[in-house]
Amino acid sequence: MPSDRPIFVVGCPRSGTTLLQLMLHAHQRIAIPPETRFLLPVYESRCGFGDLREPANRRELARWIVDAKETKFTDLGLDADQVVDEVVAGPPTVGSALGIVFRAYARRFGRARWGDKRPSYFRRLDVLLRMFPDAQIVHLVRDGRDCVASLKEMPWFHMGTFHAISTWNEAIDAGRRAAQRLGPAAYYELGYERLVADPQTELTRLCGFLGEDYDPAMTEPHHMAKVAVPAHKKWHARTYGSVGTDRVGSWAQRLEPWEIALCESVMGSRLTDKGYERTGVPRPSATDVARYLRVAAHRRLAARKCAALDQIRRRREPNPVASYIAESTYADA
């Protein structure tokens, strides 16, 4: 029987998650929307919406999703009022409300199954699984040096090399923990370099994990770009072309020698464990290593504070958070 479990695509930013989103969206049964900005904010604000057993509170939650500019709801191409009505008529949990929105997006394309993609979800996998306990996590891994080189060039990334390196390390570490905790039925790791070198083989394997038949349309994701990539995101322009390996290893020309040295030192075994060869460049300066360690420590502290705050909020939750949408309604709601 075909699966209808939610699919979440995660990874370090600039690891190819948009490409994978389009590949999945090309599948005849799956819809993965452009990146939204409402899933985690709704979860984090859940106490503020009050008891969702009250229809008025569900309406307030739904109106925030569809009306607030920062949610990117307009990128989904959905009828806002219809979505609001569906949320109000749905079960009284934040997971249900969010699932209803994504289900509506899948229905727009006649798809039976929905998913979501946002690289930074790797930091909050526990939250995703609280709301969607049956979710399947697909983690795309790319050479950390290529991720750092690409992040530095993004108009929206302003934190520099040290934070970029730390972001990749955090994604790899989160993947290791998830693989141990979730097991092969819920967590799947995919290498970007293998994906672009042999899309058919890698996507066939991915479909096996997802419980889907392989769809050849997945190897031509550029056909989906106009539909599922907002035009204003110029940094995704390459998704309009065919899949290729031309950017693999381009970090060698895009990073400065000191950045390569620092990457290979502090990424260390994470690189080699994922099959990436190190060049053997001289060790980085003690100053650069110390600065990286300060950045990484600061980020770990921020993550711990975020987790502690979530534990406090959990004690104040007026409702369960898990989605109670009947899965059988996904295809015919």
Side-chain angles (χ1 to χ4, degrees):
M1 181 177 179
S3 175
D4 49 17
R5 298 167 66 181
I7 304 164
F8 289 96
V9 176
V10 306
C12 178
R14 304 305 296 169
S15 59
T17 55
T18 299
L19 173 66
L20 183 55
Q21 169 214 344
L22 296 178
M23 289 173 162
L24 288 167
H25 192 69
H27 193 285
Q28 61 184 341
R29 279 183 29 86
I30 300 171
I32 310 286
E35 284 188 29
T36 60
R37 292 290 188 273
F38 55 77
L39 189 150
L40 291 179
V42 164
Y43 173 80
E44 291 164 354
S45 303
R46 61 198 181 279
C47 298
F49 290 112
D51 189 342
L52 294 182
R53 290 174 295 182
E54 297 293 331
N57 292 340
R58 295 200 297 279
R59 183 172 296 278
E60 180 184 356
L61 184 159
R63 290 256 52 118
W64 182 83
I65 291 175
V66 304
D67 291 337
K69 184 177 180 180
E70 62 267 28
T71 66
K72 309 295 184 182
F73 176 82
T74 56
D75 288 343
L76 302 184
L78 300 176
D79 183 299
D81 291 337
Q82 181 179 348
V83 169
V84 169
D85 290 342
E86 289 186 40
V87 171
V88 173
T93 72
V94 294
S96 301
L98 294 164
I100 285 169
V101 179
F102 290 115
R103 181 183 67 183
Y105 183 78
R107 188 172 62 232
R108 174 188 164 194
F109 295 94
R111 310 291 172 77
R113 192 172 182 185
W114 65 265
D116 191 21
K117 185 275 289 189
R118 191 174 179 189
S120 61
Y121 283 160
F122 74 78
R123 297 186 177 94
R124 310 300 300 278
L125 294 181
D126 60 327
V127 168
L128 297 183
L129 291 163
R130 282 199 78 206
M131 293 190 286
F132 307 103
D134 62 338
Q136 290 183 288
I137 308 299
V138 180
H139 182 189
L140 188 61
V141 174
R142 184 182 187 185
D143 189 321
R145 294 161 296 190
D146 273 328
C147 288
V148 170
S150 187
L151 274 170
K152 286 177 53 191
E153 297 166 357
M154 291 301 102
W156 43 263
F157 188 80
H158 307 292
M159 295 186 291
T161 300
F162 299 96
H163 282 275
I165 294 173
S166 191
T167 300
W168 189 83
N169 280 344
E170 290 162 7
I172 297 302
D173 292 344
R176 287 174 173 173
R177 293 191 296 269
Q180 294 175 351
R181 185 173 71 252
L182 302 179
Y187 177 84
Y188 186 85
E189 193 167 284
L190 177 63
Y192 169 83
E193 292 79 10
R194 297 194 309 273
L195 177 63
V196 296
D198 189 357
Q200 180 174 343
T201 297
E202 295 303 319
L203 290 170
T204 298
R205 291 171 178 164
L206 175 59
C207 285
F209 163 73
L210 296 173
E212 300 288 348
D213 292 332
Y214 168 70
D215 187 338
M218 300 173 76
T219 61
E220 297 184 330
H222 56 281
H223 294 312
M224 295 289 106
K226 290 184 179 180
V227 175
V229 177
H232 65 272
K233 294 188 175 183
K234 304 299 183 183
W235 51 91
H236 290 320
R238 297 178 62 82
T239 60
Y240 289 82
S242 299
V243 178
T245 61
D246 53 303
R247 299 288 275 183
V248 172
S250 62
W251 56 265
Q253 292 78 46
R254 299 158 70 194
L255 293 179
E256 297 180 24
W258 74 267
E259 293 173 312
I260 296 173
L262 184 61
C263 281
E264 296 192 356
S265 175
V266 301
M267 290 176 174
S269 63
R270 297 179 184 88
L271 281 174
T272 52
D273 287 351
K274 299 304 177 185
Y276 302 115
E277 294 184 3
R278 287 184 275 180
T279 63
V281 296
R283 291 185 58 83
S285 71
T287 300
D288 287 339
V289 172
R291 186 174 175 187
Y292 165 78
L293 292 174
R294 287 195 297 271
V295 166
H298 176 78
R299 291 170 64 98
R300 285 194 298 271
L301 178 59
R304 287 196 292 269
K305 288 181 178 178
C306 180
L309 180 58
D310 186 53
Q311 290 300 319
I312 294 172
R313 288 172 175 156
R314 292 186 189 199
R315 293 195 289 268
R316 297 170 45 219
E317 289 174 346
N319 310 101
V321 300
S323 174
Y324 290 158
I325 301 173
E327 302 296 341
S328 61
T329 66
Y330 280 9
D332 49 35

